Amino acid sequence: MMNQRAVEVKKLVKKYGSFVALKGISFDVEKGEIFGLLGPNGAGKTTTLRIIATLLTPTSGTVKVFGLDVVSEANKVRKIISYLPEEAGAYKNITGFEYLSMVAKIYFSNRKDQEEALELGIKIANLGDKIHDKMKTYSKGMQRRIQVARALMVRPRLAILDEPTSGLDVVQAMEIRNIVKRFSRELGITVILSSHNTREVEELCDRIAILDQGVLKEIGYVDELLSRYEVKNVEELFMKVIGFDQTGSSTR
Amino acid sequence: MTKLAPLLGKDIKDLIRDPRIMIPFVISALIMPIIGVVIGTSYQQTITAVLTKPITAVSIVCLDNTTYSKVLLKYLESMSNVKLYTYHNLSDALANSPTNSIIVIPPGFGYEFEHYLEKGGNPPQIIVVQKVRSMGMGLKSLRASIAASIVINALKSIAMEIYNVSPHVIQVVTNPAYSIPLVFIVNRDVFLPASPQYINAITIPLIIVPIIVAIIGGTILQMSATSMALENEVRTLETLLTFPIPRVYIVLSKIFSSFGVGLLGSTLNIVGFWLYTMIVINSFGSIKSFSSMALPRQLLEALGIKNLVNPIALMVPGPSMAVAVALSAIISILFLAVLGVLIGSLCSDVRIASTFMSVIMPPLIIGVYFIGFVDPLQLPTNVLYGLLSVPLIQTAIVSKLAITGVWVEYIPVGLLLTGAETLLLGFATAKLLNMDKLACIQYRLSRRFRR
């Protein structure tokens, strides 16, 4: 059990009617790492994360989170994960404090644990007095900080972040990346995130997997992949792996 | 269940602080009495203008040259309080008459009157035309009847002179006794005054209670559907579904929060509607005149008619019926809250939920209105039992039956059935809270509604 992996995905297939979103992908995520799923729109990133988060069921294949099957042991999985959907909004008429407080009460029964989680959430969100304002007054960046705080404050063993900086400006996106990097390390949280932002993935992730049209095209440590493909950055790597040259023309 | 409390708290706060939800409730509580005052005042003004203002001038189109018509014209000309304008045809009178009331004496009127005086049979006819340029209310047409009474009274006087009869004899002949019509509500053991001026007061409770039920039901259905659709729209449902809580808690939280906030809002609605009803009924004069009406109370009491009540008092049901109404209302509200959650969860955004609601609501409202205007006991038994098995419509029927205190044996069965329907719907909704199913249905609905 000591070497148990955070996530084990084996021959995962997901079909929506006749459309096959995932075509038998397999990969592992090690404990404590930040793992990035990179791919163009429609590659199957969100579907993969939703299956890991117990929201969707696989058509075939297995997914285990710390050894727990996401289908047959979904309730146990939900206790050790937290999930941040892409473009997640907020409850407009409750305050950030009330929201974090609700989440703490849902995850923890003990009052001391609830208070600690809430304190951590407030620290991660770093909204100052605005934490007591209704969330409808928050900017998009503030809303995302609350959501990221919500996802990390419960100290999940695995945080699943779907496009955590999608729709944010450069500064807001950098703030979110810093939060994820700092607190995942400090709290020992394994993170699996999806993005089509190559810079974000390069900056945040230890290992990456490149998905395209439901197929896992490449997986490995960032440095190792860059040297293997003889490219300077993840953007070039990404283009090369999915079959485009640097001018954007298809080589597939 | 301790995990349900924070979810419920979140949902209640989110609903109750939403100005789009609470402002309409507060406004309806404030605006309905104001509407009542406006309607009542304008109604009373119209009554005053139409019924109490005397007619001081009329135009006569006499198309009959018989003796009796000439006598009638002469009599009318001699009246000091009514100025008379005479014309030879109706179109001339309509175009040029300075008065709004035009009385037409048709050819042969005198012969018919003479025949009526001597042999009885059908009375002669006169035609009264009331010219109007605009109408605030239909009551203006009553001026024609007032104008007609001028001629009728003139003819009465002519007849009295011919037969040398004193006015009181005519009064006795035309109105030999004063009747006091009463309605006895069998199951409530009460009497109501039943003369025409109390009809409004008797009818309004029978219609208004089902309407109130419809308002509450519609409000709660709309609120729970919107609340759930919003979770989909801003993608908070995805987060909720990954929380370590049973999915049924998400449904229960939505149901109870919609139920609580909807009940609070509906109470405000009911208060507003109640005040509106009282003000409007008062303007009809029924309540005021009830307390001071000239009923021979001593005679009635001597006859054992002691519990003569104001019709509005019927709106407070007896204890057993009150329990049935309350149970039915709770079940209906819960059912609609669950239905709203189900509809909302199927809709990817609030606009689709609203479109969906516009399809779901009319049949429910029509059903409740139907109950408002129908006597439930006149329905075929199987139809009545069928309707008593439908939430909301059941509440409308039971509350209507409560007014007359009628207990139908099927009511407990209907309550059990609607309770079971609510549980089943809740169970199905909880089962449906699955991204696989929801995503598939939402996708199909989005395509259908956005075409």
Side-chain angles (χ1 to χ4, degrees):
Chain A
M1 293 297 278
M2 288 295 285
N3 294 322
Q4 189 183 55
R5 291 192 165 109
V7 181
E8 293 170 80
V9 176
K10 286 201 176 109
K11 296 179 181 172
L12 180 62
V13 174
K14 179 65 185 177
K15 292 180 183 172
Y16 297 108
S18 58
F19 175 71
V20 186
L22 295 173
K23 298 169 182 168
I25 63 170
S26 300
F27 66 89
D28 297 328
V29 178
E30 300 297 332
K31 272 198 286 189
E33 74 175 347
I34 299 180
F35 185 87
L37 277 178
L38 193 61
N41 288 335
K45 305 185 294 294
T46 297
T47 299
T48 306
L49 294 188
R50 282 178 168 180
I51 291 171
I52 297 170
T54 74
L55 284 169
L56 295 177
T57 50
T59 307
S60 66
T62 58
V63 176
K64 288 187 176 177
V65 175
F66 289 97
L68 299 169
D69 187 88
V70 295
V71 178
S72 60
E73 296 171 292
N75 289 336
K76 288 180 184 171
V77 172
R78 286 185 200 123
K79 286 179 183 166
I80 59 167
I81 63 162
S82 64
Y83 172 65
L84 175 67
E86 184 187 357
E87 301 271 1
Y91 298 101
K92 295 185 187 312
N93 298 303
I94 63 174
T95 68
F97 181 86
E98 286 169 338
Y99 179 58
L100 296 181
S101 174
M102 173 199 79
V103 173
K105 284 174 187 162
I106 283 175
Y107 274 83
F108 303 105
S109 305
N110 182 301
R111 192 170 182 140
K112 190 167 168 268
D113 293 340
Q114 290 172 2
E115 283 169 3
E116 276 178 16
L118 182 58
E119 202 176 311
L120 180 61
I122 293 168
K123 185 180 168 189
I124 296 171
N126 193 27
L127 292 174
D129 289 342
K130 291 230 174 231
I131 195 88
H132 295 289
D133 290 352
K134 285 181 188 167
M135 288 197 277
K136 66 181 172 190
T137 64
Y138 290 4
S139 67
K140 207 167 185 181
M142 290 160 77
Q143 284 188 17
R144 198 62 58 84
R145 263 154 60 183
I146 276 286
Q147 289 294 349
V148 172
R150 185 271 302 163
L152 300 179
M153 67 182 251
V154 296
R155 297 170 189 261
R157 294 183 73 185
L158 174 69
I160 304 157
L161 313 177
D162 191 3
E163 306 269 8
T165 60
S166 164
L168 301 183
D169 65 32
V170 179
V171 177
Q172 292 169 338
M174 191 180 286
E175 284 174 354
I176 295 296
R177 280 200 289 273
N178 289 340
I179 290 172
V180 172
K181 199 163 192 170
R182 178 186 158 194
F183 287 98
S184 64
R185 299 278 185 248
E186 275 184 26
L187 304 171
I189 298 168
T190 306
V191 175
I192 178 167
L193 61 87
S194 75
S195 182
H196 49 235
N197 182 337
T198 52
R199 183 160 170 230
E200 176 167 296
V201 170
E202 192 167 355
E203 211 173 284
L204 269 179
C205 301
D206 304 308
R207 283 199 309 140
I208 59 170
I210 298 175
L211 273 178
D212 186 26
Q213 296 178 359
V215 176
L216 188 74
K217 295 280 188 177
E218 195 52 88
I219 184 166
Y221 286 97
V222 176
D223 293 342
E224 176 201 303
L225 290 173
L226 293 180
S227 74
R228 194 183 343 143
Y229 279 84
E230 295 175 344
V231 289
K232 284 181 275 182
N233 53 43
V234 173
E235 188 171 351
E236 286 179 22
L237 169 73
F238 177 71
M239 298 297 268
K240 210 161 184 176
V241 169
I242 65 167
F244 283 84
D245 64 22
Q246 286 190 21
T247 63
S249 305
S250 174
T251 59
R252 293 195 247 199
Chain B
M1 290 296 272
T2 52
K3 306 283 182 193
L4 179 61
L7 263 186
L8 190 57
K10 178 266 293 177
D11 279 328
I12 288 175
K13 283 175 192 165
D14 203 34
L15 282 173
I16 213 161
R17 291 175 186 170
D18 189 343
R20 289 171 302 179
I21 287 172
M22 286 317 288
I23 286 177
F25 284 145
V26 175
I27 284 179
S28 73
L30 296 173
I31 206 89
M32 290 304 285
I34 295 171
I35 293 173
V37 169
V38 171
I39 291 176
T41 308
S42 59
Y43 185 82
Q44 278 177 335
Q45 278 176 346
T46 307
I47 291 280
T48 307
V50 169
L51 299 181
T52 59
K53 198 172 137 192
I55 289 179
T56 54
V58 291
S59 297
I60 291 271
V61 179
C62 187
L63 304 173
D64 186 51
N65 282 322
T66 57
T67 310
Y68 277 118
S69 294
K70 286 173 186 164
V71 170
L72 175 63
L73 271 179
K74 204 171 174 185
Y75 187 92
L76 291 171
E77 278 167 354
S78 69
M79 290 173 73
S80 57
N81 55 344
V82 180
K83 191 170 182 187
L84 204 68
Y85 296 87
T86 53
Y87 293 89
H88 296 292
N89 60 65
L90 180 60
S91 53
D92 185 23
L94 286 170
N96 302 311
S97 159
T99 71
N100 289 326
S101 303
I102 302 167
I103 297 164
V104 183
I105 298 172
F109 172 83
Y111 290 124
E112 285 176 11
F113 185 63
E114 188 177 1
H115 187 269
Y116 188 51
L117 278 174
E118 290 171 3
K119 296 176 182 170
N122 293 326
Q125 292 170 332
I126 56 165
I127 293 136
V128 184
V129 178
Q130 183 69 23
K131 281 200 297 183
V132 290
R133 283 169 186 82
S134 67
M135 280 205 275
M137 293 174 81
L139 288 171
K140 222 174 194 178
S141 58
L142 288 176
R143 296 288 284 174
S145 304
I146 299 171
S149 68
I150 293 171
V151 178
I152 301 296
N153 287 334
L155 288 168
K156 272 186 190 171
S157 299
I158 292 167
M160 282 190 291
E161 273 178 30
I162 291 169
Y163 289 105
N164 196 22
V165 177
S166 63
H168 81 269
V169 173
I170 290 290
Q171 198 178 344
V172 170
V173 169
T174 54
N175 195 10
Y178 176 63
S179 63
I180 304 163
L182 296 174
V183 169
F184 178 62
I185 309 283
V186 179
N187 292 288
R188 298 197 69 176
D189 193 25
V190 293
F191 292 88
L192 306 175
S195 44
Q197 65 263 41
Y198 303 114
I199 294 299
N200 281 327
I202 296 174
T203 307
I204 283 176
L206 292 165
I207 295 174
I208 222 158
V209 173
I211 289 176
I212 289 173
V213 171
I215 290 172
I216 297 173
T219 306
I220 286 167
L221 183 61
Q222 180 82 44
M223 194 187 309
S224 56
T226 305
S227 169
M228 199 65 187
L230 197 62
E231 294 267 11
N232 277 322
E233 188 174 318
V234 298
R235 308 189 74 166
T236 42
L237 183 62
E238 275 184 57
T239 309
L240 286 182
L241 290 174
T242 60
F243 282 171
I245 45 170
R247 288 177 179 192
V248 73
Y249 281 15
I250 300 170
V251 178
L252 287 177
S253 170
K254 287 286 170 204
I255 292 168
F256 292 149
S257 58
S258 299
F259 178 80
V261 176
L263 216 55
L264 172 71
S266 300
T267 307
L268 291 173
N269 258 327
I270 290 168
V271 168
F273 213 73
W274 177 268
L275 289 170
Y276 162 84
T277 309
M278 290 298 123
I279 291 166
V280 170
I281 290 177
N282 259 317
S283 72
F284 294 161
S286 53
I287 291 178
K288 279 180 195 162
S289 57
F290 180 82
S291 54
S292 59
M293 67 185 187
L295 288 169
R297 294 204 178 250
Q298 280 186 333
L299 172 64
L300 293 176
E301 282 179 20
L303 293 169
I305 302 171
K306 290 174 184 167
N307 38 356
L308 186 66
V309 300
N310 187 318
I312 299 299
L314 293 177
M315 287 173 83
V316 180
S320 59
M321 289 306 289
V323 170
V325 171
L327 271 176
S328 177
I330 289 169
I331 292 171
S332 292
I333 290 171
L334 282 174
F335 180 88
L336 291 168
V338 180
L339 185 62
V341 171
L342 176 65
I343 292 168
S345 61
L346 296 178
C347 301
S348 56
D349 60 53
V350 174
R351 277 184 306 165
I352 295 176
S354 299
T355 311
F356 221 129
M357 297 304 298
S358 65
V359 178
I360 301 274
M361 289 290 286
L364 280 175
I365 300 294
I366 289 168
V368 173
Y369 266 64
F370 169 70
I371 299 306
F373 289 92
V374 83
D375 177 355
L377 294 186
Q378 294 302 314
L379 293 169
T381 310
N382 50 354
V383 173
L384 178 63
Y385 288 2
L387 292 173
L388 276 170
S389 308
V390 181
L392 193 68
I393 293 177
Q394 176 199 68
T395 311
I397 297 175
V398 174
S399 37
K400 186 154 183 164
L401 292 174
I403 289 173
T404 46
V406 177
W407 179 259
V408 175
E409 284 179 0
Y410 186 78
I411 289 175
V413 180
L415 288 171
L416 282 173
L417 269 176
T418 50
E421 289 160 20
T422 306
L423 283 175
L424 272 176
L425 191 69
F427 182 72
T429 307
K431 279 278 168 202
L432 196 76
L433 275 189
N434 170 311
M435 285 299 291
D436 272 323
K437 289 175 193 158
L438 286 180
C440 182
I441 297 169
Q442 284 169 16
Y443 175 69
R444 286 184 189 159
L445 282 176
S446 306
R447 282 184 56 187
R448 188 168 292 273
F449 282 111
R450 281 172 183 156
R451 257 176 208 162

